[in-house]
Structures are given as C-alpha cells and as structure tokens.
Amino acid sequence: MAGGERRTVFVTVGTTCFDALVMAVDSPEVKKALLQKGYTDLLIQMGRGTYVPSKVSGDATLQVDHFTFSPSIADNMRTASLVISHAGSGSIFETLRLGKPLIVVVNEDLMDNHQSELAEELAERKHLFCARPQTLGETIRAMDLGTLVPYVPGDAKPVVTLINKFLGFPVD
Amino acid sequence: MGFDAMAAACCVLPVLVSLLAIRFVYVLWRSGQPLSGSPTAGLRCLIVLGSGGHTAEMMNVVTAVQKDRFTPRYYVAALTDNMSLQKAQVYEQSLIQSGEKTIKNAHFVQIYRSREVGQSYFTSIATTLLATLHAMWLVIRIRPQVIFCNGPGTCFPLCVCAFVLKVLGLGWSSIFYIESIARVKKLSLSGLLLYKLRIADQFFVQWPQLQQKYPRAYYAGRLM
C-alpha cells in the first residue's frame, strides 16, 4: 500500500436516528479492526442521533470526524474506500451503483423491521456484507472484499413492456 | 301514499343493491383483464410518489415509459414529503430542455396522509377520513386512466377511490402496483391489501421468491 494514500471509511445513517451504529463505529474494537484493514480515516454522518462520537482517535492514526447532515453525501460516498450504512434502500443502491464495498448495519430497534430482508438478500448474493451493531467488529475482521460480486443495476423496461401490453399499446 | 312510497322503496332497493353487486363482481373480474383495442391518444396518468426509496423506484418506471403514450402526467405526493415532487419537477424540466416533444403536460399535486409515523390510533381515524375524502376529490377531478403506485400507505386511498369510481361506472382506470424492492419475503401492508382485494389490475414484485408466494403477481426483474 502506498505510504501517503488515505483510505476513508464513510458511515451514514441517512435521515434516521441510529445511535447504536454510531456508538459501534466509535468503539475501540471497531476502530482497531478498521486500522488493521488499512483504513486511515473515519467519517461519520450521524443524522438525528444524540450520541456524539469522539473526534480524536484512541490509538494509532485513525482520523475520526463527524457531521449531522450534508447535501453532498454522494460526494462522501464517491471518495470513500468503504461505506458502512443503515439498511435504507436509497443508501444501499446508491453505494452499490458507485461500486463501493458496503457493510449494511441493520437497526434492530426499528418496529417494522422489514429493512433487514433486503440487506440479507443482497448479502446472500454477495453484493454486500450485512451486520448488526454488536457484530460489526467481527464482520470487518472477517470480510474479504475480493469475494464481493458487482451489482448489476435493474431495468424498468420489462415492467413497462408488460404494462404497455396490458393497455393494448403495440409492442415496439 | 306513505305506504306506496314504502312499497316502492322495498322493490327498488333490492334491485339497486343487486345491480350494484353484479357490477361489483363484473369490475373485479374485468380489472385483471388486458384492455381490448389500442388506445388512440395518450392516457391520463396518476403517478403516486411514496417518498424516499419508493420515489426513486417510481421515477425509474416513469423514465422508462413512452411519454407520448402516458400523458398528461399527474404526480401525487404526501403533503409532508417535500422532496418527491421536486424530483419529479426536475425530471419533467429535463424532458422539456432535452427538446422531447412534450408540451407542458405534467401536473404536481399534494395529498393528505392517512397516518404519520408514530401518530396515535385515535387521531388516525379522523386523518384517515380526511385523506380518503381528499383522495376521492383528486380521483374525481383528475379521472386517471392509468395509476402507477408502489406504496407505502399514500397510494391506498387513491386506489380504493379509483376502484369505487369503476364500480359506479364513473370512469375506468388500470391500476399498476409495483411492490418495493425492499420487500423480499413478504408484501407490504398496502401491497397485500391491493393484491388480496384484487384492486390492482397488474401487480409486480421484484424478487422471484415473492412471485412464488403470490402467483397472480408478475416478476419482470428489478427496478433498482
């Protein structure tokens, strides 16, 4: 690995409040795991959460920074080497489209927890890694980015063709 | 006099009720059938934007449809959702700028929501009533021929009202529901209702395993 190269981990909770995730990435265990994997920076978008992570890193050189909201989250994703995200579909597909390695952390405190369905299905298809706040450190230590399969974006045309047929439009 | 009126009512009422019941069954049966004949002009579309990921998926559908066939387009979003209509506006603006033959035929409408996240069940009754009345007003005013929706709750009263208009013979609309990609194993509540009540003419899911559970649904790939 080149000496001066920065490798940023971008953590995003979207518009939600997901303190358990912010706390997890702020823990010594996760920071140590990230350092060992060669990451140099940790940038946390904490949304509506009330837990404020420490800006100074405990050990070695992992630089930690955080903010609540920003209109340029897409830019943060683009410059990141790894994205750790909540399980919202918007954030998942945005990261996959950019071809960034992704760990989705499922919020177990949500009442209607159908969100884990999507993350687990995509993890089974090897497009991303899926974790819970308490297993994040373990997931980072065990992950092998080489096993990830690039996600091929979907296409609305087959659906539109069926709709056209139903309505009696000629197929073009 | 009073007796005659009563007797008349006794005769007319059952007839009316049976006619309505027959019409109801007919509409249920007819709803799943493809339309006969080819439309000669553009179809008036109601596009329900459900916020967040739902809106992103719906905009992918809108991008793929033939604009001359699906026109004019009425975009509807919840009153509390200020992002969705903006996204649709940006898209429609880009169509005009790219010089496609689109006369200004997009409209943007806001609708009351039946229930906000965390709202109590007691006040929900009043807000649901308000949302349903508003939906009825919109459907009567717009008279959509095609409805595109993909959840969450915002689309349900609109679809029910459109179905009621069909039963009453006041307008015919084809309702297309595309379940969100986030639903892998189970349908959402609005999806399940529109499927079970057979209100959706064509019902799409985005995962093959979900299609196996709901055989009347179509699987035609993913939108995202």
Side-chain angles (χ1 to χ4, degrees):
Chain A
M1 222 150 283
E5 196 195 340
R6 310 301 299 178
R7 295 183 74 220
T8 304
V9 179
F10 179 55
V11 180
T12 177
V13 307
T15 53
T16 64
C17 163
F18 193 1
D19 277 342
L21 170 58
V22 181
M23 266 183 232
V25 291
D26 196 37
S27 70
E29 186 211 353
V30 167
K31 285 198 231 173
K32 195 174 151 214
L34 289 174
L35 260 178
Q36 279 171 351
K37 287 278 174 182
Y39 297 103
T40 58
D41 292 72
L42 178 60
L43 181 58
I44 304 167
Q45 183 264 321
M46 50 183 276
R48 287 185 222 274
T50 49
Y51 175 82
V52 181
S54 51
K55 284 215 180 190
V56 261
S57 165
D59 42 351
T61 52
L62 193 69
Q63 305 288 310
V64 187
D65 201 359
H66 60 79
F67 62 92
T68 53
F69 292 103
S70 153
S72 57
I73 281 182
D75 293 332
N76 293 317
M77 283 183 173
R78 222 166 277 131
T79 52
S81 303
L82 171 70
V83 177
I84 299 177
S85 165
H86 72 120
S89 72
S91 162
I92 290 179
F93 287 110
E94 200 173 345
T95 313
L96 291 180
R97 218 175 301 128
L98 291 169
K100 299 289 178 180
L102 170 64
I103 302 174
V104 171
V105 181
V106 175
N107 189 351
E108 289 173 315
D109 298 333
L110 286 182
M111 289 240 292
D112 177 21
N113 209 354
H114 74 267
Q115 281 197 327
S116 65
E117 281 182 25
L118 178 64
E120 278 157 10
E121 178 68 28
L122 292 170
E124 219 161 276
R125 292 166 183 250
K126 302 235 175 286
H127 298 307
L128 50 81
F129 300 104
C130 185
R132 315 274 147 172
Q134 63 275 17
T135 62
L136 181 58
E138 207 181 299
T139 306
I140 293 168
R141 280 192 300 274
M143 73 178 181
D144 175 5
L145 298 187
T147 60
L148 286 178
V149 177
Y151 182 79
V152 180
D155 181 9
K157 280 198 198 86
V159 169
V160 169
T161 303
L162 283 176
I163 290 173
N164 269 291
K165 248 190 222 162
F166 185 93
L167 294 170
F169 283 116
V171 185
D172 39 26
Chain B
M1 193 62 175
F3 179 75
D4 282 355
M6 277 278 278
C10 283
C11 294
V12 169
L13 212 63
V15 173
L16 268 180
V17 169
S18 353
L19 278 177
L20 212 59
I22 291 168
R23 172 74 188 170
F24 179 76
V25 172
Y26 168 76
V27 170
L28 265 189
W29 169 77
R30 187 71 190 82
S31 280
Q33 312 287 322
L35 303 191
S36 52
S38 175
T40 46
L43 299 175
R44 231 171 9 259
C45 293
L46 188 65
I47 301 159
V48 191
L49 302 174
S51 84
H54 294 274
T55 298
E57 290 179 37
M58 185 54 77
M59 289 314 292
N60 282 356
V61 175
V62 174
T63 306
V65 301
Q66 296 83 345
K67 302 301 171 299
D68 54 329
R69 293 176 178 181
F70 299 88
T71 186
R73 293 179 288 282
Y74 291 83
Y75 293 92
V76 182
L79 209 57
T80 46
D81 170 12
N82 41 30
M83 295 297 294
S84 293
L85 287 184
Q86 204 182 319
K87 277 186 190 142
Q89 269 159 345
V90 168
Y91 174 70
E92 287 288 339
Q93 205 59 44
S94 76
L95 283 184
I96 295 171
Q97 273 160 9
S98 71
E100 255 191 67
K101 261 206 336 235
T102 44
I103 328 135
K104 270 199 101 182
N105 48 11
H107 308 267
F108 306 92
V109 192
Q110 288 184 304
I111 187 167
Y112 289 106
R113 261 182 78 160
S114 346
R115 213 174 153 262
E116 293 300 331
V117 178
Q119 192 185 326
S120 82
Y121 281 98
F122 182 70
T123 56
S124 292
I125 299 171
T127 49
T128 302
L129 196 68
L130 184 68
T132 309
L133 286 175
H134 193 209
M136 189 50 110
W137 161 244
L138 285 181
V139 170
I140 289 174
R141 214 189 53 181
I142 297 171
R143 293 283 181 90
Q145 292 162 291
V146 176
I147 299 180
F148 290 120
C149 54
N150 62 353
T154 329
C155 68
F156 187 69
L158 285 165
C159 292
V160 170
C161 291
F163 188 82
V164 169
L165 286 201
K166 281 159 98 165
V167 172
L168 297 178
L170 296 174
W172 192 271
S173 51
S174 303
I175 302 174
F176 299 98
Y177 185 91
I178 306 129
E179 185 61 285
S180 159
I181 194 167
R183 302 297 177 154
V184 181
K185 294 181 187 135
K186 268 174 24 191
L187 294 182
S188 65
L189 180 60
S190 43
L192 189 70
L193 286 171
L194 293 174
Y195 179 88
K196 289 278 184 202
L197 299 174
R198 295 174 189 250
I199 290 176
D201 290 66
Q202 245 183 354
F203 192 99
F204 294 92
V205 291
Q206 299 189 53
W207 296 100
Q209 59 267 46
L210 205 49
Q211 198 274 331
Q212 261 152 30
K213 264 173 105 173
Y214 301 93
R216 278 188 285 117
Y218 290 83
Y219 167 71
R222 286 170 281 108
L223 295 179
M224 297 297 282

